Amino acid sequence: MQTFTARNSVAMLHFEDGTALFLKQVDPATAKAVGTATGNEETMLRLISEAGVPPFARSAVPRFITADPRTETLIMEGKTGFTSLREVTRNSSEVPVPLLAALASVTAGIHTTPVDRIAADARYAPQLIAFPFASFAALTPAELASGPGMDYADYVATMQAVDESVARLRDEWGPTSLVHFDLRDDNILFKDTEGEHPQAALVDWELAGFGDPMLDVGTIVGQMLIHWLHALQGDVSRLSSAGTWTTVRRNVSLFLAAYEHSSPLSAEQRDTAFRYAGLSTLMYAAGRLEQIGSLGRIGHLCLFVGRKLLNVPQGLARFLAPGSPREAEA
């Protein structure tokens, strides 16, 4: 038995034949939100197996096995022999090309699955994700004073500065695709990381549902930016050096090129993805405030990059992923 650090009890049971089962206690908040004891993840895992997701992408999602409503525990396929993106980038922020291609292919395969019929089904109303980012424009003095961390005012000022761009994303939001909604580096797994044909897996579908697929794309790009900002070790002066951007530019451009091989993006979609990448860096900064009470140099860098991506996505987008996006075919 292998246990993991998480909000609720999580464990992997390994068997002698090399298979495994993943046991996960349901988060009470998500269970309450969808009105079932076993929460949203069971619904999404069942849905993915029935929604017509291509086999190569469906194999990247853990198979649902069963659930125990009494203990509110989900039992699903355990992904053995996999390494997280966080581990892959621990010593180097450069992600191998085959891993970027595998991740892009799986993500695009899920996003391009038709969902109009399913999203219109009243049974899946709880899976229609509402736009997840609140406005900070009308924050009261009391709310500001009660915010987490000593740098909360800096975070709020940045969020207020990007409020118009966030509002634009809110207006464009809609249930157009299956979305994972939480593609952080520890929810992205790879097997055979040094081979030519690695496998990618996406785990933790607790927050998944129907929404804008560019949120997933932007979250992945945001993770690449965050890894790179950590590699700068808080040295703001290095942002002005073009050579400093080489690795993250490579990662982002290769991932987007591989994604567009399966799902071409319009210029507007690419801008939207970069705006979500900016939001991803801002949410990372918010997480630092909640966890350690301070933004630190990394957090302030995230605020700077996030603000630039949200308010002027075309500037950094052209630098990070040069070349004209392919227009989606009619």
PDB file of all heavy atoms in Angstrom, residues 301-325:
ATOM      1  N   LEU A 301       7.031  37.651  -9.384  1.00  0.00           N
ATOM      2  CA  LEU A 301       7.258  37.400 -10.805  1.00  0.00           C
ATOM      3  C   LEU A 301       5.991  36.871 -11.468  1.00  0.00           C
ATOM      4  O   LEU A 301       5.662  37.226 -12.607  1.00  0.00           O
ATOM      5  CB  LEU A 301       8.407  36.410 -10.993  1.00  0.00           C
ATOM      6  CG  LEU A 301       9.829  36.942 -10.848  1.00  0.00           C
ATOM      7  CD1 LEU A 301      10.831  35.797 -10.917  1.00  0.00           C
ATOM      8  CD2 LEU A 301      10.142  37.979 -11.913  1.00  0.00           C
ATOM      9  N   CYS A 302       5.277  35.994 -10.753  1.00  0.00           N
ATOM     10  CA  CYS A 302       4.015  35.457 -11.286  1.00  0.00           C
ATOM     11  C   CYS A 302       2.993  36.570 -11.501  1.00  0.00           C
ATOM     12  O   CYS A 302       2.257  36.562 -12.498  1.00  0.00           O
ATOM     13  CB  CYS A 302       3.455  34.399 -10.337  1.00  0.00           C
ATOM     14  SG  CYS A 302       4.303  32.801 -10.409  1.00  0.00           S
ATOM     15  N   LEU A 303       2.936  37.525 -10.582  1.00  0.00           N
ATOM     16  CA  LEU A 303       2.026  38.657 -10.746  1.00  0.00           C
ATOM     17  C   LEU A 303       2.389  39.463 -11.993  1.00  0.00           C
ATOM     18  O   LEU A 303       1.516  39.853 -12.774  1.00  0.00           O
ATOM     19  CB  LEU A 303       2.072  39.573  -9.525  1.00  0.00           C
ATOM     20  CG  LEU A 303       1.554  39.032  -8.187  1.00  0.00           C
ATOM     21  CD1 LEU A 303       1.507  40.148  -7.155  1.00  0.00           C
ATOM     22  CD2 LEU A 303       0.190  38.376  -8.330  1.00  0.00           C
ATOM     23  N   PHE A 304       3.674  39.701 -12.189  1.00  0.00           N
ATOM     24  CA  PHE A 304       4.126  40.483 -13.336  1.00  0.00           C
ATOM     25  C   PHE A 304       3.785  39.778 -14.649  1.00  0.00           C
ATOM     26  O   PHE A 304       3.184  40.376 -15.557  1.00  0.00           O
ATOM     27  CB  PHE A 304       5.637  40.715 -13.235  1.00  0.00           C
ATOM     28  CG  PHE A 304       6.229  41.391 -14.440  1.00  0.00           C
ATOM     29  CD1 PHE A 304       6.110  42.758 -14.618  1.00  0.00           C
ATOM     30  CD2 PHE A 304       6.910  40.646 -15.401  1.00  0.00           C
ATOM     31  CE1 PHE A 304       6.645  43.379 -15.743  1.00  0.00           C
ATOM     32  CE2 PHE A 304       7.445  41.249 -16.522  1.00  0.00           C
ATOM     33  CZ  PHE A 304       7.321  42.625 -16.701  1.00  0.00           C
ATOM     34  N   VAL A 305       4.143  38.506 -14.755  1.00  0.00           N
ATOM     35  CA  VAL A 305       3.898  37.759 -15.988  1.00  0.00           C
ATOM     36  C   VAL A 305       2.397  37.570 -16.221  1.00  0.00           C
ATOM     37  O   VAL A 305       1.903  37.710 -17.344  1.00  0.00           O
ATOM     38  CB  VAL A 305       4.619  36.398 -15.941  1.00  0.00           C
ATOM     39  CG1 VAL A 305       4.212  35.516 -17.114  1.00  0.00           C
ATOM     40  CG2 VAL A 305       6.132  36.602 -15.952  1.00  0.00           C
ATOM     41  N   GLY A 306       1.651  37.259 -15.155  1.00  0.00           N
ATOM     42  CA  GLY A 306       0.215  37.068 -15.282  1.00  0.00           C
ATOM     43  C   GLY A 306      -0.495  38.310 -15.768  1.00  0.00           C
ATOM     44  O   GLY A 306      -1.387  38.248 -16.635  1.00  0.00           O
ATOM     45  N   ARG A 307      -0.095  39.457 -15.238  1.00  0.00           N
ATOM     46  CA  ARG A 307      -0.717  40.718 -15.667  1.00  0.00           C
ATOM     47  C   ARG A 307      -0.436  40.995 -17.139  1.00  0.00           C
ATOM     48  O   ARG A 307      -1.335  41.399 -17.889  1.00  0.00           O
ATOM     49  CB  ARG A 307      -0.192  41.852 -14.793  1.00  0.00           C
ATOM     50  CG  ARG A 307      -0.792  43.216 -15.101  1.00  0.00           C
ATOM     51  CD  ARG A 307      -0.388  44.228 -14.034  1.00  0.00           C
ATOM     52  NE  ARG A 307      -0.867  45.556 -14.352  1.00  0.00           N
ATOM     53  CZ  ARG A 307      -0.836  46.590 -13.500  1.00  0.00           C
ATOM     54  NH1 ARG A 307      -0.330  46.401 -12.280  1.00  0.00           N
ATOM     55  NH2 ARG A 307      -1.288  47.770 -13.846  1.00  0.00           N
ATOM     56  N   LYS A 308       0.803  40.757 -17.566  1.00  0.00           N
ATOM     57  CA  LYS A 308       1.150  40.973 -18.970  1.00  0.00           C
ATOM     58  C   LYS A 308       0.344  40.058 -19.883  1.00  0.00           C
ATOM     59  O   LYS A 308      -0.170  40.492 -20.929  1.00  0.00           O
ATOM     60  CB  LYS A 308       2.639  40.713 -19.170  1.00  0.00           C
ATOM     61  CG  LYS A 308       3.557  41.778 -18.580  1.00  0.00           C
ATOM     62  CD  LYS A 308       3.488  43.065 -19.369  1.00  0.00           C
ATOM     63  CE  LYS A 308       4.524  44.068 -18.882  1.00  0.00           C
ATOM     64  NZ  LYS A 308       4.436  45.359 -19.614  1.00  0.00           N
ATOM     65  N   LEU A 309       0.217  38.790 -19.512  1.00  0.00           N
ATOM     66  CA  LEU A 309      -0.498  37.832 -20.360  1.00  0.00           C
ATOM     67  C   LEU A 309      -1.982  38.150 -20.449  1.00  0.00           C
ATOM     68  O   LEU A 309      -2.604  37.970 -21.495  1.00  0.00           O
ATOM     69  CB  LEU A 309      -0.292  36.418 -19.829  1.00  0.00           C
ATOM     70  CG  LEU A 309       1.054  35.776 -20.152  1.00  0.00           C
ATOM     71  CD1 LEU A 309       1.238  34.496 -19.358  1.00  0.00           C
ATOM     72  CD2 LEU A 309       1.167  35.472 -21.645  1.00  0.00           C
ATOM     73  N   LEU A 310      -2.565  38.609 -19.369  1.00  0.00           N
ATOM     74  CA  LEU A 310      -3.995  38.903 -19.377  1.00  0.00           C
ATOM     75  C   LEU A 310      -4.320  40.180 -20.148  1.00  0.00           C
ATOM     76  O   LEU A 310      -5.278  40.219 -20.924  1.00  0.00           O
ATOM     77  CB  LEU A 310      -4.528  39.004 -17.952  1.00  0.00           C
ATOM     78  CG  LEU A 310      -4.963  37.665 -17.365  1.00  0.00           C
ATOM     79  CD1 LEU A 310      -4.935  37.695 -15.853  1.00  0.00           C
ATOM     80  CD2 LEU A 310      -6.360  37.298 -17.856  1.00  0.00           C
ATOM     81  N   ASN A 311      -3.524  41.213 -19.961  1.00  0.00           N
ATOM     82  CA  ASN A 311      -3.854  42.499 -20.560  1.00  0.00           C
ATOM     83  C   ASN A 311      -3.320  42.671 -21.973  1.00  0.00           C
ATOM     84  O   ASN A 311      -3.941  43.346 -22.794  1.00  0.00           O
ATOM     85  CB  ASN A 311      -3.343  43.634 -19.669  1.00  0.00           C
ATOM     86  CG  ASN A 311      -4.190  43.791 -18.415  1.00  0.00           C
ATOM     87  OD1 ASN A 311      -5.299  43.273 -18.338  1.00  0.00           O
ATOM     88  ND2 ASN A 311      -3.666  44.494 -17.430  1.00  0.00           N
ATOM     89  N   VAL A 312      -2.176  42.058 -22.280  1.00  0.00           N
ATOM     90  CA  VAL A 312      -1.617  42.154 -23.631  1.00  0.00           C
ATOM     91  C   VAL A 312      -1.118  40.765 -24.041  1.00  0.00           C
ATOM     92  O   VAL A 312       0.095  40.543 -24.169  1.00  0.00           O
ATOM     93  CB  VAL A 312      -0.462  43.185 -23.702  1.00  0.00           C
ATOM     94  CG1 VAL A 312      -0.148  43.518 -25.169  1.00  0.00           C
ATOM     95  CG2 VAL A 312      -0.790  44.441 -22.944  1.00  0.00           C
ATOM     96  N   PRO A 313      -2.033  39.805 -24.243  1.00  0.00           N
ATOM     97  CA  PRO A 313      -1.589  38.434 -24.528  1.00  0.00           C
ATOM     98  C   PRO A 313      -0.798  38.308 -25.820  1.00  0.00           C
ATOM     99  O   PRO A 313       0.087  37.464 -25.941  1.00  0.00           O
ATOM    100  CB  PRO A 313      -2.901  37.644 -24.591  1.00  0.00           C
ATOM    101  CG  PRO A 313      -3.935  38.659 -24.935  1.00  0.00           C
ATOM    102  CD  PRO A 313      -3.496  39.928 -24.266  1.00  0.00           C
ATOM    103  N   GLN A 314      -1.101  39.185 -26.809  1.00  0.00           N
ATOM    104  CA  GLN A 314      -0.446  39.047 -28.104  1.00  0.00           C
ATOM    105  C   GLN A 314       1.063  39.257 -28.000  1.00  0.00           C
ATOM    106  O   GLN A 314       1.837  38.597 -28.699  1.00  0.00           O
ATOM    107  CB  GLN A 314      -1.032  40.049 -29.116  1.00  0.00           C
ATOM    108  CG  GLN A 314      -2.514  39.882 -29.372  1.00  0.00           C
ATOM    109  CD  GLN A 314      -3.369  40.645 -28.366  1.00  0.00           C
ATOM    110  OE1 GLN A 314      -2.842  41.225 -27.407  1.00  0.00           O
ATOM    111  NE2 GLN A 314      -4.674  40.643 -28.579  1.00  0.00           N
ATOM    112  N   GLY A 315       1.495  40.160 -27.115  1.00  0.00           N
ATOM    113  CA  GLY A 315       2.920  40.455 -27.003  1.00  0.00           C
ATOM    114  C   GLY A 315       3.736  39.253 -26.578  1.00  0.00           C
ATOM    115  O   GLY A 315       4.631  38.799 -27.293  1.00  0.00           O
ATOM    116  N   LEU A 316       3.419  38.691 -25.401  1.00  0.00           N
ATOM    117  CA  LEU A 316       4.152  37.519 -24.929  1.00  0.00           C
ATOM    118  C   LEU A 316       3.843  36.289 -25.766  1.00  0.00           C
ATOM    119  O   LEU A 316       4.686  35.419 -25.936  1.00  0.00           O
ATOM    120  CB  LEU A 316       3.825  37.254 -23.457  1.00  0.00           C
ATOM    121  CG  LEU A 316       4.660  38.022 -22.438  1.00  0.00           C
ATOM    122  CD1 LEU A 316       4.223  37.676 -21.022  1.00  0.00           C
ATOM    123  CD2 LEU A 316       6.144  37.729 -22.597  1.00  0.00           C
ATOM    124  N   ALA A 317       2.616  36.210 -26.304  1.00  0.00           N
ATOM    125  CA  ALA A 317       2.250  35.042 -27.112  1.00  0.00           C
ATOM    126  C   ALA A 317       3.137  34.945 -28.350  1.00  0.00           C
ATOM    127  O   ALA A 317       3.616  33.868 -28.707  1.00  0.00           O
ATOM    128  CB  ALA A 317       0.780  35.126 -27.520  1.00  0.00           C
ATOM    129  N   ARG A 318       3.371  36.074 -29.016  1.00  0.00           N
ATOM    130  CA  ARG A 318       4.219  36.052 -30.218  1.00  0.00           C
ATOM    131  C   ARG A 318       5.648  35.700 -29.864  1.00  0.00           C
ATOM    132  O   ARG A 318       6.367  35.090 -30.661  1.00  0.00           O
ATOM    133  CB  ARG A 318       4.167  37.414 -30.922  1.00  0.00           C
ATOM    134  CG  ARG A 318       2.823  37.735 -31.563  1.00  0.00           C
ATOM    135  CD  ARG A 318       2.942  38.914 -32.524  1.00  0.00           C
ATOM    136  NE  ARG A 318       1.628  39.322 -33.001  1.00  0.00           N
ATOM    137  CZ  ARG A 318       0.949  40.357 -32.517  1.00  0.00           C
ATOM    138  NH1 ARG A 318       1.475  41.074 -31.552  1.00  0.00           N
ATOM    139  NH2 ARG A 318      -0.237  40.658 -32.992  1.00  0.00           N
ATOM    140  N   PHE A 319       6.071  36.083 -28.663  1.00  0.00           N
ATOM    141  CA  PHE A 319       7.434  35.783 -28.249  1.00  0.00           C
ATOM    142  C   PHE A 319       7.576  34.326 -27.822  1.00  0.00           C
ATOM    143  O   PHE A 319       8.537  33.656 -28.174  1.00  0.00           O
ATOM    144  CB  PHE A 319       7.834  36.709 -27.098  1.00  0.00           C
ATOM    145  CG  PHE A 319       9.261  36.530 -26.668  1.00  0.00           C
ATOM    146  CD1 PHE A 319      10.297  37.017 -27.441  1.00  0.00           C
ATOM    147  CD2 PHE A 319       9.569  35.865 -25.491  1.00  0.00           C
ATOM    148  CE1 PHE A 319      11.619  36.850 -27.050  1.00  0.00           C
ATOM    149  CE2 PHE A 319      10.886  35.690 -25.098  1.00  0.00           C
ATOM    150  CZ  PHE A 319      11.923  36.188 -25.882  1.00  0.00           C
ATOM    151  N   LEU A 320       6.578  33.836 -27.056  1.00  0.00           N
ATOM    152  CA  LEU A 320       6.656  32.471 -26.540  1.00  0.00           C
ATOM    153  C   LEU A 320       6.354  31.430 -27.607  1.00  0.00           C
ATOM    154  O   LEU A 320       6.910  30.321 -27.577  1.00  0.00           O
ATOM    155  CB  LEU A 320       5.680  32.296 -25.372  1.00  0.00           C
ATOM    156  CG  LEU A 320       6.065  32.994 -24.067  1.00  0.00           C
ATOM    157  CD1 LEU A 320       4.894  32.977 -23.102  1.00  0.00           C
ATOM    158  CD2 LEU A 320       7.276  32.328 -23.439  1.00  0.00           C
ATOM    159  N   ALA A 321       5.436  31.738 -28.505  1.00  0.00           N
ATOM    160  CA  ALA A 321       5.042  30.767 -29.546  1.00  0.00           C
ATOM    161  C   ALA A 321       4.989  31.484 -30.891  1.00  0.00           C
ATOM    162  O   ALA A 321       3.917  31.809 -31.392  1.00  0.00           O
ATOM    163  CB  ALA A 321       3.703  30.155 -29.200  1.00  0.00           C
ATOM    164  N   PRO A 322       6.144  31.786 -31.475  1.00  0.00           N
ATOM    165  CA  PRO A 322       6.178  32.534 -32.735  1.00  0.00           C
ATOM    166  C   PRO A 322       5.518  31.759 -33.868  1.00  0.00           C
ATOM    167  O   PRO A 322       5.438  30.537 -33.853  1.00  0.00           O
ATOM    168  CB  PRO A 322       7.680  32.722 -32.989  1.00  0.00           C
ATOM    169  CG  PRO A 322       8.336  31.622 -32.240  1.00  0.00           C
ATOM    170  CD  PRO A 322       7.478  31.398 -31.024  1.00  0.00           C
ATOM    171  N   GLY A 323       5.031  32.508 -34.830  1.00  0.00           N
ATOM    172  CA  GLY A 323       4.350  31.860 -35.962  1.00  0.00           C
ATOM    173  C   GLY A 323       2.864  32.123 -35.880  1.00  0.00           C
ATOM    174  O   GLY A 323       2.290  32.275 -34.815  1.00  0.00           O
ATOM    175  N   SER A 324       2.222  32.174 -37.009  1.00  0.00           N
ATOM    176  CA  SER A 324       0.785  32.453 -37.074  1.00  0.00           C
ATOM    177  C   SER A 324       0.012  31.202 -36.738  1.00  0.00           C
ATOM    178  O   SER A 324       0.298  30.113 -37.255  1.00  0.00           O
ATOM    179  CB  SER A 324       0.388  32.946 -38.466  1.00  0.00           C
ATOM    180  OG  SER A 324       1.102  34.111 -38.794  1.00  0.00           O
ATOM    181  N   PRO A 325      -1.021  31.323 -35.879  1.00  0.00           N
ATOM    182  CA  PRO A 325      -1.853  30.154 -35.592  1.00  0.00           C
ATOM    183  C   PRO A 325      -2.648  29.736 -36.820  1.00  0.00           C
ATOM    184  O   PRO A 325      -3.033  30.577 -37.619  1.00  0.00           O
ATOM    185  CB  PRO A 325      -2.792  30.669 -34.485  1.00  0.00           C
ATOM    186  CG  PRO A 325      -2.834  32.145 -34.668  1.00  0.00           C
ATOM    187  CD  PRO A 325      -1.477  32.532 -35.191  1.00  0.00           C
TER     188      PRO A 325
END
